[in-house]
Amino acid sequence: MTDVQALHPQHPNWVFAVIEQPRHEPFRVQYDPLRGVFEHTTWRSLPYARAFPGHYGWIRGTGHPPDVHFDVYVVDDQSITPGDVLEAALIGMFVRSDGDHKFFAITGVPLGEEPDLLTLLDEERHRLMAVYPQLGDGDAWLGRDAAREWLRTRLPEHV
């Protein structure tokens, strides 16, 4: 369920991203909501393994792990820790056939000048899309406007 008060005031153009997986962490970090802590695991981190230039977490106000929520990758070069919250502009999303869709956002851009994932320079776009390099049946990359519409009109369904 969406918590409107926890959403960014410019939602869905901007989001508050709760970071679960910082960019330089090679092993997965998981949130334990019963204790309110982030714990390191022995599983390898996909964003780290695929050299994603940022962090991974969830969009505040859309739920949280392990319950239903919207996941988000945030392009950012700050050194942060699990649980930090970043303000980021939504730039696109990856629609997965299994329903575990992933949003993409970026920090450090001016309001009203948010880029679109699909129109970034080739090198930059391919660097972000390397997280999911192959499309399966039902998978698709969507740009900024489609991602905003998705956030505006749909609720998360996947844990």
Side-chain angles (χ1 to χ4, degrees), residues 62-126:
T62 67
H64 58 74
D67 299 324
V68 293
H69 62 280
F70 280 133
D71 293 322
V72 63
Y73 285 89
V74 181
V75 179
D76 177 78
D77 61 2
Q78 298 177 67
S79 178
I80 63 170
T81 59
D84 286 350
V85 177
L86 297 178
E87 182 177 33
L90 194 66
I91 62 170
M93 71 181 291
F94 184 67
V95 176
R96 292 177 39 151
S97 60
D98 66 0
D100 191 13
H101 313 306
K102 308 297 181 185
F103 288 89
F104 284 73
I106 188 168
T107 63
V109 297
L111 184 66
E113 296 182 26
E114 302 91 351
D116 187 310
L117 174 68
L118 299 181
T119 60
L120 294 173
L121 297 174
D122 284 347
E123 182 179 330
E124 194 173 358
R125 186 178 68 253
H126 292 300

Side-chain angles (χ1 to χ4, degrees), residues 7 26 28 31 34 37 49 51 61 92-94 124 132 138 149 157:
L7 296 174
R28 285 273 326 265
Y31 178 61
L34 296 178
V37 298
M93 71 181 291
F94 184 67
E124 194 173 358
Y132 300 104
E149 182 64 16
E157 300 173 357

Side-chain angles (χ1 to χ4, degrees), residues 3-14:
D3 177 2
V4 175
Q5 292 180 335
L7 296 174
H8 191 282
Q10 299 295 324
H11 179 84
N13 299 5
W14 285 69

